[in-house]
Amino acid sequence: MRLRNVRGSREVIAVNEYVVRDEQTMKGRWHELFGNDNPIHIEVGMGKGRFIMDMARLNPDINYVGIEKFSSVLIRAIEKQEIEKLPNLYFIRMEAEYLENVFDKSEVSYIYLNFSDPWPKDRHAKRRLTSVQFLERYKNILSNGGGVTFKTDNRPLFDFTIEQADAAGWRKESVTYDLHNSPYAEGNVMTEYEERFSSMGNPICRIVYYPE
Ligand code: SAM
């Protein structure tokens, strides 16, 4: 993602009602914020938030938390949420490595990873959001029966993801190398990157998997 410094984004994030600050104090208390006991789904690396906003609109009985590390991107999601004011959606600006400081054991029912950064150099493999290191973090916050969906057009990253899922002993429920021409296409909610890359003709890979 090409990052531009968006002037004023940090200031908006510092006061916006849809951004949770002091997110570590929310650990174990997310239901208080939403005011109900509905399941919590998170998207890690949500970018400008198109996917998570569509999901929150389609599923009012699920609570969503969008996680993004860069203010300049998060601001675009905030601008849209300022207009829509979806009651079941909040954002956090944070580095995903620290997810376990923010969500308690079993507090999250589902995790979405969409078009995560590939970190192509071997020495950066641990930073990939589908590495065994990240899978361990997800396992520690997922509730019983909770899982992860990962989509990408990056085949080497997808192959790495499958390898890491096997190494961590996760159960793969479904894997496709061409989501849009597969039986799983129905009901698929597109992300910003998915729209861009599939319109260039790139097939989209997708895995659904569980830490059991
Ligand atoms: N998910 C969106 C989509 O599919 O359109 C955006 C994809 S973009 C390539 C990846 C996003 O993940 C970027 O906005 C990046 O800043 C964010 N990201 C990458 N690594 C992250 C991390 N460790 N913690 C939080 N956000 C991260």
Side-chain angles (χ1 to χ4, degrees):
M1 177 171 292
R2 197 158 70 91
L3 287 175
R4 256 179 262 127
N5 186 25
V6 177
R7 199 192 290 181
S9 56
R10 279 184 175 269
E11 290 74 9
V12 170
I13 288 164
V15 297
N16 187 269
E17 63 184 305
Y18 296 106
V19 179
V20 175
R21 289 163 290 276
D22 299 330
E23 60 273 6
Q24 300 193 7
T25 65
M26 294 305 297
K27 183 171 174 171
R29 299 178 44 226
W30 282 92
H31 290 296
E32 294 175 24
L33 175 72
F34 287 106
N36 59 50
D37 282 329
N38 292 342
I40 295 172
H41 293 193
I42 68 176
E43 184 186 7
V44 182
M46 66 158 186
K48 297 178 187 169
R50 166 175 162 179
F51 171 84
I52 201 163
M53 290 202 67
D54 285 350
M55 293 294 279
R57 201 180 305 111
L58 283 168
N59 303 293
D61 294 336
I62 296 175
N63 296 324
Y64 290 89
V65 181
I67 289 159
E68 171 53 52
K69 68 179 172 182
F70 287 124
S71 311
S72 52
V73 189
L74 173 57
I75 187 77
R76 300 303 175 212
I78 294 171
E79 285 165 357
K80 291 181 261 184
Q81 172 66 337
E82 273 294 307
I83 295 167
E84 280 213 44
K85 301 189 184 303
L86 295 164
N88 57 335
L89 174 63
Y90 285 91
F91 305 120
I92 314 175
R93 187 182 68 76
M94 67 173 280
E95 162 54 56
E97 202 182 322
Y98 305 108
L99 277 176
E100 292 155 289
N101 298 338
V102 171
F103 296 100
D104 216 345
K105 280 192 185 310
S106 302
E107 198 166 19
V108 172
S109 298
Y110 209 82
I111 298 175
Y112 293 97
L113 307 171
N114 293 317
F115 295 80
S116 308
D117 295 342
W119 292 105
K121 292 187 179 139
D122 283 349
R123 69 172 192 277
H124 291 148
K126 279 195 295 197
R127 298 185 192 176
R128 298 175 194 148
L129 293 183
T130 55
S131 65
V132 289
Q133 288 80 5
F134 271 98
L135 292 183
E136 188 59 27
R137 294 177 185 123
Y138 304 149
K139 186 176 170 179
N140 285 333
I141 61 170
L142 277 171
S143 57
N144 242 346
V148 174
T149 291
F150 170 62
K151 292 196 278 191
T152 186
D153 68 322
N154 184 312
R155 185 59 192 267
L157 177 62
F158 196 66
D159 292 343
F160 169 85
T161 297
I162 304 271
E163 221 179 85
Q164 297 285 288
D166 290 340
W170 282 43
R171 175 173 63 82
K172 304 194 290 286
E173 187 184 87
S174 66
V175 172
T176 171
Y177 293 87
D178 190 1
L179 173 62
H180 296 179
N181 294 301
S182 79
Y184 310 115
E186 200 184 320
N188 177 50
V189 173
M190 296 261 262
T191 82
E192 258 131 5
Y193 271 63
E194 185 172 357
E195 172 117 351
R196 188 188 308 172
F197 291 127
S198 59
S199 71
M200 289 160 59
N202 298 3
I204 306 301
C205 304
R206 193 202 70 172
I207 176 173
V208 174
Y209 55 149
Y210 297 88
E212 3 159 310

